[in-house]
Amino acid sequence: MKTRLALVALVTVLVIGCNTKEEELQQQLSKAQGEQAALHQSIAERDKSIEEVMKAINEVYTDLEKARSKESKLVERVGTNEVASPATTKQALIQNIAEIGSALKENRKKISSLQARVKSLKGELAGLNTLITNLKQSLQEREQSIALLEAKVQGLETTVAEKTRVITEKERVIEEQQMAMKKAFYVIGTRQDLKEKGIITDEGGFLWGLLGSTTIMASGVDQSVFTPIDRTLGETIQVNGTIDEILPRRSEEFFAATTQPEGDHSSLKIVRPEKFWQDNYLVIVVD
C-alpha cells in the first residue's frame, strides 16, 4: 500500500513538472514570435523611411538641377549684355534670381529635414548621409553662385548708367563738333568802326598807306564781336546801310548783294554757301 502511494506521488510530480516546462517553452516561443513581428515591423518602417528619404533626395536634386539650368540662362543673358532697356531688363533678371533664391531656401529646409530624419533612423546610414552632405554642398554652391549673379545684375544699373553717360557725353561732343563745323561768323560795321575794333587793317601802299593800300581782315580778331551763322544754309544777311566791301573777298558768283532804293538798307544773299564759306569769317563794310 505504501509503495503504491509513493508511486502515485512520483507520477504526479513528474506530470506537474512537465506542464510547467511546457508553459515556459510556450512563453518563450510567444516572446520570440512577438520580437520577430516587431523586428519585421521595424524593418518595414525603416524601409519605408529610407524610401521616403530617397524620394525627397531625388526631389531636392531635381530642384537643384532646375536652379542650375535657370542660372545658366540668366548668366547667358547677362553675358550678352542684354541691358538695352535697363529698367525692364534688370527688373526681370532680379525677379528671376529671386525665384531661384526662394527655391533654394525651400531646398535648404528640405535638406535640414532630411538630416534630422536620417539621424532619427536606427543605425548609421552612411550612404544616405553622404548623399545629403553632397546635396548640401551643391546647394551652397548654387546659393553662392546666385548671390554673385545678383550682385552682378545689381551692378548692371551702375554699368549701364555709366555707359549711357559716356555715350551721351560722346554724342554731345560730336554734336558740338558738328555744330562748330557748321558755324561761320560775320560782323557788320563802318570802315572806321571796324578799324578801331581791330577787325580790319590797311596793308601796303605808300605815303603812309594813303595811296595804293589794301584793306584786309586783321589777324587774331576777337570772335565775340562776330555773329554766328549756319554755313551750310544759303541765308540772307540783312545790313543797315550800303554794302561797300566784304572781306575776305569772295567771287561775286557766290553771293548777291542788293541795296534798297533809299540806300539805308542792304542785303547779302549767299547763293553758294559751300564756296562762299571757304573762309569762316566774313566782314561786311558799310558806308
Side-chain angles (χ1 to χ4, degrees):
M1 184 68 178
K2 291 181 178 179
T3 303
R4 183 178 292 179
L5 290 173
L7 181 59
V8 171
L10 178 61
V11 171
T12 301
V13 170
L14 290 173
V15 170
I16 292 172
C18 288
N19 288 339
T20 302
K21 190 67 173 179
E22 185 177 351
E23 289 177 359
E24 291 177 356
L25 290 174
Q26 186 63 40
Q27 290 174 358
Q28 291 176 359
L29 178 60
S30 297
K31 182 179 179 182
Q33 288 176 340
E35 290 176 350
Q36 184 180 18
L39 179 61
H40 282 302
Q41 183 179 357
S42 177
I43 292 173
E45 291 176 352
R46 179 170 177 154
D47 289 342
K48 182 180 179 181
S49 295
I50 292 175
E51 183 180 353
E52 291 174 350
V53 168
M54 288 302 301
K55 181 180 178 181
I57 288 174
N58 287 331
E59 290 176 352
V60 173
Y61 178 79
T62 301
D63 287 345
L64 290 179
E65 285 301 307
K66 289 180 180 179
R68 187 194 304 274
S69 177
K70 290 180 180 179
E71 180 191 337
S72 297
K73 292 179 181 178
L74 291 179
V75 170
E76 184 177 353
R77 289 180 63 187
V78 174
T80 54
N81 289 326
E82 191 180 321
V83 289
S85 52
T88 56
T89 302
K90 181 191 171 187
Q91 184 62 32
L93 290 172
I94 291 297
Q95 184 176 353
N96 291 336
I97 290 173
E99 290 173 358
I100 296 175
S102 179
L104 292 177
K105 287 181 181 178
E106 289 300 317
N107 284 315
R108 178 167 285 281
K109 292 179 182 178
K110 289 180 182 179
I111 291 175
S112 297
S113 177
L114 284 172
Q115 285 181 311
R117 190 163 187 179
V118 168
K119 287 181 180 179
S120 68
L121 293 175
K122 295 178 180 180
E124 277 298 322
L125 302 177
L128 290 181
N129 282 325
T130 300
L131 281 175
I132 293 173
T133 299
N134 291 338
L135 277 181
K136 192 171 183 180
Q137 183 178 356
S138 180
L139 173 65
Q140 290 174 343
E141 290 174 354
R142 297 274 63 73
E143 288 176 334
Q144 292 173 358
S145 183
I146 205 69
L148 290 174
L149 181 60
E150 182 177 12
K152 186 173 182 180
V153 172
Q154 292 287 1
L156 285 178
E157 184 175 15
T158 303
T159 301
V160 171
E162 178 61 19
K163 287 183 177 179
T164 302
R165 186 194 66 78
V166 172
I167 291 172
T168 302
E169 179 64 19
K170 286 182 178 179
E171 290 177 346
R172 185 188 64 79
V173 171
I174 292 173
E175 184 178 357
E176 288 180 354
Q177 290 175 344
Q178 290 176 340
M179 289 297 295
M181 292 174 63
K182 291 170 64 176
K183 276 185 179 181
F185 304 89
Y186 72 92
V187 64
I188 304 172
T190 63
R191 192 174 301 274
Q192 183 63 31
D193 181 49
L194 294 172
K195 284 184 176 181
E196 289 177 357
K197 291 180 179 179
I199 297 174
I200 62 174
T201 185
D202 293 329
E203 182 182 62
F206 53 94
L207 294 179
W208 302 279
L210 297 176
L211 298 175
S213 63
T214 303
T215 303
I216 62 171
M217 183 176 171
S219 60
V221 295
D222 182 5
Q223 184 174 304
S224 64
V225 301
F226 285 76
T227 300
I229 187 173
D230 190 335
R231 63 185 299 160
T232 64
L233 302 178
E235 296 189 11
T236 298
I237 301 174
Q238 301 299 330
V239 180
N240 289 326
T242 302
I243 299 175
D244 178 50
E245 187 179 9
I246 64 172
L247 301 170
R249 293 181 176 82
R250 272 87 161 170
S251 173
E252 293 184 358
E253 62 181 310
F254 302 154
F255 67 94
T258 59
T259 303
Q260 297 297 327
E262 296 81 2
D264 60 351
H265 185 78
S266 304
S267 62
L268 181 71
K269 182 175 177 57
I270 301 168
V271 295
R272 295 185 64 183
E274 74 283 359
K275 296 292 186 179
F276 185 88
W277 289 115
Q278 289 183 351
D279 288 300
N280 288 336
Y281 292 88
L282 170 67
V283 178
I284 302 176
V285 184
V286 297
D287 288 340

